């Protein structure tokens, strides 16, 4: 693929490959496919010309030639590893920057950790706003193995043009706080951690209960295909459940389409901290190679993935996706009046991957359960971002975690793109609230309540927030597929930990990530509507993506509905988040509602010999 792009002169020199993705075929073509049919496989290459400042999208037939090249007017490429490297190299050689470091007593540039961060969209006066920019927060590395985040160098940063590699600005504040030199070690050889437990072995003497054929996975009654994307990372496709011998479709494609981290502090430069880890950094690039016994325990099957770099070199990431089974407590239990006990263990199937984006780790974990439920859980770990302040001084938007070492308040806001096809579709979106019946004949005792079900018939009506007072959930129903009592079959989206954006809607990040201001959006499925902040969020002023599409207010009833669920955490750091934070979780569940005749868990056999 990359060879074709190179031969055609589309990559090489100042022509860079920003992303190589599968151009997924139209759903109708996939649905019509039968074994033996050929379906043309096409790759989608996003190309950046750093001289011309243009983005082009090239479609390339797998094993064939270039099919199409189109310019994306006004777009800027996302940030590339090569960009970051060049920007850091330029900074490290800049005389003004070196002089500023020397004024702080730092003479060894190798002791300075420079990061290249996306810029937001607020370009300082005097800099051409069409340039593609990064800024560079700094940390000190006093020893080769130091935790750099313990030692932020506050009050000094640069702005770099990613394409010309010019250092455009060296920003230096007067009277900066001292560099904290408080401890931050977390490596075992530094901490000598010695709290130990006895060995815990996961033994599956007959092997795991799932089979893998390429990317197709079969576990228990679930069937699915696992996928990977350079931008989104882990993706699930074509998720089905075998019900009474029949494969029933639940989801066509599910991914985390965006992840944005707005910071809430007011240190100079802090207004730029609003990274779109998916849309600006292409999260899939940072996928870890996982290790057996550490990242994943038990009988593991790994999938390898590959990403292409800016020059079209393919880099394999071995053991990038982990698949395994976990015991998950009990699935159900009942002891009856005769003391007869029925109990079932719950086993869940886990597909996961972990990325490292600078200081932070994100684990994406999808779980399939034996009662027909699906869960997504993001695991947030790694090291909190740090700044420096005067020790003990008031810090209204940060936690002082060591004297003078500040961890700014921030939010991790995810947006899942859930292309569900409940029983093959078409689907209709319904909001369900529980509420007391009005006092009077309908509710004489005052304790009766009911559910109010509202069809969210258009895009404008489907921009919703969670409501824990009414136990609100949303369900996608298939009105053409009726369950055994005649009602439409459905799956419901059950929100878990959600947050609300603290940035004001009129702020830079409020405009750029306007999708944050609803927990639920719904759109009719369009292949080119893939990311909630738009296709090209890099330095984009905002308005693209969900706000733009849904302004059409398209009808949603009995159509191919895509749900967009916004969730995440508001991270007020604790001293216990330091020096590395224990996993924080956020996510949601999808549960069958009227989809099955009864609890699918009833078909699970008892544990057998182990139960005594
Ligand atoms: Co955090």
């Amino acid at each position: 693929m990359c060879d074709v792009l190179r031969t055609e002169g589309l990559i090489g020199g100042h022509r860079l490959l920003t992303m190589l993705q599968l151009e997924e075929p139209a759903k109708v073509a996939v649905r019509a496919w039968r074994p033996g049919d050929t379906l043309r496989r096409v790759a989608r290459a996003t190309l950046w010309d750093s001289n011309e400042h243009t983005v082009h999208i090239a479609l390339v037939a797998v094993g064939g030639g270039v099919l199409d090249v189109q310019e994306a007017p006004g777009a800027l490429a996302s940030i590339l590893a090569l960009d970051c490297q060049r920007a850091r190299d330029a900074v490290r050689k800049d005389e003004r920057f070196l002089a500023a470091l020397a004024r702080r007593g730092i003479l060894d540039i190798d002791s300075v950790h420079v990061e290249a961060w996306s810029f937001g969209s607020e370009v300082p006066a005097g800099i051409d706003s069409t340039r593609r920019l990064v800024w560079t927060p700094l940390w000190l590395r006093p020893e080769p193995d130091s935790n750099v985040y313990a030692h932020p160098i506050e009050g000094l940063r640069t702005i770099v043009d990613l394409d010309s590699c010019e250092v455009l600005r060296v920003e230096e504040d007067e009277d900066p706080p001292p560099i904290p030199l408080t401890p931050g070690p977390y490596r075992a050889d530094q901490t000598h951690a010695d709290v130990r437990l006895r060995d815990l072995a996961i033994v599956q003497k007959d092997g795991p209960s799932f089979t893998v054929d390429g990317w197709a996975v079969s576990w228990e009654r679930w069937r699915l295909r696992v996928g990977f994307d350079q931008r989104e990372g882990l993706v699930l496709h074509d998720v089905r459940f075998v019900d009474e011998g029949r494969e029933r479709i639940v989801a066509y494609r599910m991914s985390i389409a965006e992840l944005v981290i707005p910071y809430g502090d007011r240190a100079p430069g802090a207004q730029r901290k609003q990274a779109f880890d998916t849309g600006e950094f292409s999260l899939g690039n940072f996928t870890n190679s996982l290790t057996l016994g550490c990242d994943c325990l038990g009988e593991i099957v790994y999938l390898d993935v590959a990403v292409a770099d800016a020059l079209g070199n393919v880099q394999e990431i071995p053991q990038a996706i982990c698949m395994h089974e976990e015991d998950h407590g009990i699935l159900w239990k009942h002891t009856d009046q005769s003391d007869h006990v029925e109990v079932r263990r719950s086993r869940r199937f886990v597909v996961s991957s972990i990325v490292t984006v600078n200081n932070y780790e994100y684990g994406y974990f999808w779980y399939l359960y034996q009662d027909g439920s699906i869960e997504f859980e993001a695991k947030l770990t790694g090291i909190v971002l740090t700044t420096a302040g005067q020790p003990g001084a008031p810090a209204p938007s940060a936690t002082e975690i060591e004297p003078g070492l500040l961890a700014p308040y921030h939010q991790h806001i995810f947006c899942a793109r859930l292309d569900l096809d409940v029983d093959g579709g078409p689907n209709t979106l319904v909001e369900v609230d529980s509420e007391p019946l009005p006092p009077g004949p309908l509710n004489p005792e005052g304790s009766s309540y009911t559910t109010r079900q509202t069809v969210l018939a258009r895009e404008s009506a489907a921009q919703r927030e969670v409501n824990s007072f009414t136990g609100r959930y949303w369900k996608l129903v298939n009105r053409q597929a009726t369950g055994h009592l005649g009602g439409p079959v459905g799956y419901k989206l059950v929100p878990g930990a959600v947050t609300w954006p603290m940035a004001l809607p009129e702020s830079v990040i409020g405009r750029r990530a306007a999708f944050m201001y609803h927990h639920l959006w719904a759109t009719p499925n369009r292949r080119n509507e893939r990311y909630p902040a738009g296709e090209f969020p890099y330095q984009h002023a905002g308005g693209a993506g969900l706000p733009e599409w849904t302004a059409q207010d398209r009808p949603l009833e009995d159509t191919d509905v895509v749900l967009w669920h916004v969730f995440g955490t508001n991270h007020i750091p604790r001293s216990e988040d330091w020096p590395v934070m224990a996993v924080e979780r956020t996510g949601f569940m999808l549960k069958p509602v009227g989809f099955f005749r009864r609890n699918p868990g009833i078909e699970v056999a008892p544990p057998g010999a182990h139960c005594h």
Side-chain angles (χ1 to χ4, degrees):
M1 196 71 47
C2 293
D3 291 342
V4 173
L5 292 167
R6 222 176 272 120
T7 311
E8 295 286 331
L10 292 169
I11 54 175
H14 53 90
R15 294 183 174 152
L16 303 175
L17 176 62
T18 35
M19 212 164 26
L20 191 60
Q21 298 173 289
L22 178 66
E23 172 74 352
E24 295 178 15
K27 188 184 283 189
V28 60
V30 174
R31 286 269 181 267
W33 182 87
R34 294 289 173 269
D37 292 357
T38 52
L39 191 61
R40 187 164 68 169
R41 288 163 59 79
V42 177
R44 175 191 180 93
T46 305
L47 307 163
W48 172 245
D49 188 320
S50 64
N51 279 2
E52 301 292 324
H53 270 224
T54 50
V55 170
H56 284 84
I57 305 294
L59 299 181
V60 188
V62 175
V66 174
L67 303 171
D68 185 42
V69 183
Q70 297 275 347
E71 187 177 344
L76 289 181
S78 56
I79 195 167
L80 304 167
L82 184 69
D83 287 332
C84 289
Q85 190 54 52
R86 287 173 175 171
R88 283 196 299 263
D89 290 347
V91 168
R92 291 161 62 91
K93 286 192 212 120
D94 187 88
E95 293 296 336
R96 296 162 296 174
F97 176 67
L98 294 172
L101 284 178
R103 280 194 284 283
R104 285 152 195 262
I106 303 169
L107 302 174
D108 176 12
I109 184 64
D110 290 332
S111 70
V112 177
H113 172 68
V114 181
E115 287 187 1
W117 277 55
S118 57
F119 206 80
S121 65
E122 203 167 36
V123 177
I127 295 180
D128 176 358
S129 64
T130 62
R131 287 178 181 247
R132 192 164 145 264
L133 305 170
V134 285
W135 72 289
T136 60
L138 308 170
W139 288 268
L140 188 68
R141 182 185 286 111
E143 304 290 333
D145 291 343
S146 294
N147 172 2
V148 295
Y149 298 108
H151 314 300
I153 304 171
E154 201 56 48
L156 177 62
R157 4 174 230 281
T158 67
I159 298 175
V160 188
D161 181 314
L162 282 176
D163 297 303
S164 66
C165 297
E166 285 171 84
V167 179
L168 301 175
R169 289 276 166 88
V170 176
E171 295 180 338
E172 201 175 357
D173 306 338
E174 278 178 27
D175 206 13
I179 300 169
L181 291 171
T182 52
Y186 64 91
R187 298 184 184 198
D189 61 358
Q190 297 165 329
T191 63
H192 308 294
D194 64 355
V195 176
R196 289 181 195 281
L197 295 171
R198 291 176 183 164
D199 253 13
L200 174 69
I202 309 290
V203 179
Q204 292 184 280
K205 61 180 171 38
D206 303 322
S209 305
F210 58 95
T211 58
V212 181
D213 177 11
W215 296 83
V217 179
S218 175
W219 174 75
E220 221 259 22
R221 287 159 287 176
W222 288 101
R223 309 287 176 265
L224 70 152
R225 302 186 76 86
V226 178
F228 177 81
D229 179 86
Q230 194 167 3
R231 180 162 173 164
E232 298 174 302
L234 183 60
V235 181
L236 297 192
H237 299 273
D238 203 20
V239 182
R240 299 163 183 243
F241 194 95
V242 180
D243 176 30
E244 297 175 349
R246 192 162 59 95
E247 275 190 21
R248 297 175 68 191
I249 300 168
V250 177
Y252 183 78
R253 188 185 192 280
M254 300 193 290
S255 65
I256 306 304
E258 195 51 272
L259 164 58
V260 62
I261 302 96
Y263 277 77
D265 60 319
R266 288 202 54 234
Q271 78 284 0
R272 296 173 190 148
K273 287 187 294 193
Q274 42 178 270
F276 290 72
D277 280 0
T278 307
E280 291 186 315
F281 283 86
S282 303
L283 179 131
N285 282 324
F286 307 103
T287 303
N288 294 180
S289 275
L290 302 170
T291 54
L292 184 60
C294 293
D295 292 299
C296 330
L297 194 60
E299 287 288 330
I300 307 298
V301 175
Y302 291 105
L303 294 171
D304 303 339
V305 303
V307 293
D309 73 11
L311 305 174
N313 302 309
V314 174
Q315 300 180 337
E316 283 188 50
I317 305 173
Q319 305 198 162
I321 296 171
C322 169
M323 295 185 290
H324 71 288
E325 291 172 283
E326 285 177 357
D327 181 88
H328 192 247
I330 58 166
L331 179 65
W332 58 265
K333 176 170 185 172
H334 183 59
T335 304
D336 74 8
Q337 296 78 359
S338 66
D339 287 339
H340 175 82
V341 180
E342 286 287 327
V343 61
R344 301 292 183 272
R345 296 295 308 168
S346 173
R347 187 88 63 91
R348 67 180 182 185
F349 178 69
V350 190
V351 190
S352 66
S353 72
I354 301 174
V355 299
T356 303
V357 188
N358 288 329
N359 54 310
Y360 245 88
E361 267 74 14
Y362 293 99
Y364 283 3
F365 284 69
W366 289 95
Y367 304 106
L368 303 178
Y369 292 91
Q370 293 179 285
D371 67 347
S373 300
I374 300 170
E375 181 177 10
F376 174 79
E377 184 175 68
K379 296 187 182 182
L380 288 61
T381 180
I383 301 179
V384 290
L385 197 75
T386 52
T387 60
Q390 295 295 344
S397 307
T399 304
E400 190 171 12
I401 50 179
E402 289 281 356
L405 181 65
L406 304 180
Y409 300 170
H410 59 277
Q411 296 184 286
H412 303 264
I413 298 181
F414 299 79
C415 182
R417 184 181 187 279
L418 303 172
D419 177 0
L420 305 187
D421 281 355
V422 177
D423 240 350
N427 291 158
T428 298
L429 178 60
V430 181
E431 179 170 275
V432 183
D433 291 294
S434 294
E435 58 185 23
L437 285 163
L442 288 176
N443 188 7
E445 313 297 337
S447 55
S448 301
Y449 69 105
T450 188
T451 53
R452 182 159 41 89
Q453 309 219 4
T454 311
V455 172
L456 305 177
R458 306 192 74 85
E459 288 177 300
S460 59
Q463 297 171 9
R464 307 298 296 163
E465 286 78 53
V466 299
N467 185 347
S468 32
F469 297 101
T470 66
R472 177 172 294 167
Y473 63 85
W474 299 285
K475 62 181 181 180
L476 261 190
V477 300
N478 184 330
R479 301 199 278 207
Q480 297 176 2
T482 50
H484 78 298
L485 292 173
V489 303
Y491 257 77
K492 66 176 179 176
L493 168 61
V494 185
V498 298
T499 190
W500 188 252
M502 291 293 145
L504 301 176
E506 60 271 27
S507 65
V508 172
I509 184 60
R511 282 181 274 124
R512 300 183 70 219
F515 70 84
M516 301 185 293
Y517 297 96
H518 296 293
H519 294 126
L520 182 80
W521 303 68
T523 54
N525 194 10
R526 299 287 182 271
R527 287 172 71 199
N528 58 353
E529 296 180 2
R530 305 196 295 171
Y531 311 113
E535 193 81 16
F536 302 104
Y538 203 85
Q539 236 165 284
H540 194 284
L546 282 170
E548 183 183 345
W549 309 324
T550 58
Q552 300 166 78
D553 202 17
R554 295 166 291 191
L556 293 173
E557 280 183 276
D558 301 311
T559 186
D560 184 2
V561 179
V562 173
L563 299 182
W564 305 76
H565 177 42
V566 177
F567 60 98
T569 65
N570 178 23
H571 192 175
I572 308 301
R574 302 172 297 146
S575 56
E576 293 85 354
D577 290 336
W578 185 255
V580 65
M581 68 179 260
V583 165
E584 189 82 18
R585 294 171 166 82
T586 177
F588 58 89
M589 290 203 72
L590 297 164
K591 287 171 168 269
V593 51
F595 191 84
F596 298 107
R597 178 183 294 270
R598 55 186 185 176
N599 177 4
I602 203 76
E603 288 163 39
V604 174
H610 303 294
C611 190
H612 54 76

